[in-house]
Amino acid sequence: MTTSDHVARNRAAWDAMAPDYVAAAERNWARDEPTWGIWGVPETQLHLLPDDVAGLDTVELGCGTAYVSAWLARRGARPVGIDNSPAQLATARRMQAEHGLEFPLHLGDAEATPFADASFDLAISEYGAAIWCDPDRWIPEAARILRPGGRLIFLGNSTLLMLAAPDEEGEPATDRLLRPQRGMHRFEWPDDPGVEFHMGHGDWIRVLRTSGFEVEDLIEVYPPDGATTRYPFVTLPWAQAWPCEEVWKARRLG
Ligand SMILES: C[S@@+](CC[C@H](N)C(=O)[O-])C[C@H]1O[C@@H](n2cnc3c(N)ncnc32)[C@H](O)[C@@H]1O
């Protein structure tokens, strides 16, 4: 397979995983206050979103079940979602019908979207394009479809977690560095059909800047006491000692 086989592989992987994401979709669509990431850190603590999104044209890159776009719609934004998995979008469409909240959902690749240049004020991804798309492709594409001054915000696994995560599925992150950071980019786990992308911070800054972004913030996410997650790949003590997730915020230069 070529290096761009990941889009087809990830579609198959996500169509198969979609049933496991229905319960989270139902929970998140029913919630007005955003909570983020695997620990559900509240927006009031994380401040991931801009203070005011009313009237903004937003695009969610790898929207999955599109609850992030639902939260944006309820705050007055005009969201559009794009996702590569028909099964994930089927859940999103069912949620739209149940909640009477319609916005456009596109089946497609966030690395090569159908949107015109300078269409959006905000591009966002929570574990969508953020980890499932090649940064060398999706970051320039996000820059293309954002207006000058537009914001890119994305949340995914931290660089540190990716260095400390064992290959074995279900095993939590260790306190050892298990692989080199140098050259880190494409990840294929032995027990997982999907392809992920994770990089070091220097490489993230470089791809953002060469794509026309100014980096505004890097928020390292720490879950509050008592937080829980259904994911086995990190424990609460680990995540309270080191960030297991991070949020990048960047602004499209004019
Ligand atoms: C964990 S979900 C993230 C979305 C949402 N926050 C959720 O949890 O439902 C990851 C999503 O990324 C999507 N995805 C993977 N590769 C993609 C690509 N190349 N273009 C668009 N979406 C993609 C998958 O289909 C999946 O729905």
Side-chain angles (χ1 to χ4, degrees), residues 36-38 46 48 125-128 130-131 153-157 221 245-248:
W36 300 105
I38 65 165
L46 204 55
L48 183 144
S125 170
E126 184 209 30
Y127 281 109
I131 72 161
I153 301 173
F154 57 96
L155 180 152
N157 309 110
V221 181
E245 298 178 307
E246 55 199 29
V247 180
W248 287 89

Side-chain angles (χ1 to χ4, degrees), residues 7 23 34 61 74 89 94 99 105 114 122 125 151 154 172 175 181 183 199 206 215 219 230 235 240 244 248-249:
V7 178
L61 299 169
R74 292 187 191 128
L89 288 179
R94 187 165 63 76
H99 289 267
L105 291 170
L122 171 66
S125 170
R151 255 59 192 213
F154 57 96
D175 59 1
Q181 177 175 318
M199 303 196 300
R206 212 161 294 116
V215 175
I219 303 173
R230 71 183 175 116
T235 64
Q240 289 194 313
C244 74
W248 287 89
K249 294 189 182 186

Side-chain angles (χ1 to χ4, degrees), residues 6-7 10-11 14-15 21 24-25 28 60-68 82-86 88-89 108-111 125-129 131-134 195 231:
H6 61 273
V7 178
N10 285 340
R11 174 173 290 184
W14 273 100
D15 278 346
Y21 284 77
N28 285 320
E60 187 179 357
L61 299 169
C63 63
T65 58
Y67 55 80
V68 172
I82 182 166
D83 199 276
N84 184 37
S85 159
Q88 285 279 84
L89 288 179
D109 177 10
E111 298 176 2
S125 170
E126 184 209 30
Y127 281 109
I131 72 161
W132 297 98
C133 289
D134 185 339
V195 181
Y231 295 94

Side-chain angles (χ1 to χ4, degrees), residues 59-61 80-84 104-120 141 144-145:
V59 62
E60 187 179 357
L61 299 169
V80 171
I82 182 166
D83 199 276
N84 184 37
L105 291 170
H106 295 259
L107 175 63
D109 177 10
E111 298 176 2
T113 70
F115 310 122
D117 293 358
S119 299
F120 300 103
E141 180 65 356
R144 185 185 70 74
I145 62 177

Side-chain angles (χ1 to χ4, degrees), residues 128-202:
I131 72 161
W132 297 98
C133 289
D134 185 339
D136 291 338
R137 298 176 188 228
W138 82 269
I139 297 288
E141 180 65 356
R144 185 185 70 74
I145 62 177
L146 277 169
R147 299 182 178 126
R151 255 59 192 213
L152 171 64
I153 301 173
F154 57 96
L155 180 152
N157 309 110
S158 71
T159 302
L160 202 49
L161 180 76
M162 289 302 112
L163 296 174
D167 276 340
E168 294 75 26
E169 197 173 7
E171 286 299 309
T174 68
D175 59 1
R176 307 271 167 87
L177 300 175
L178 300 180
R179 57 185 62 82
Q181 177 175 318
R182 188 177 187 176
M184 187 167 117
H185 189 82
R186 178 181 165 116
F187 277 67
E188 293 177 65
W189 303 99
D191 304 320
D192 194 329
V195 181
E196 299 172 21
F197 295 87
H198 305 280
M199 303 196 300
H201 291 167

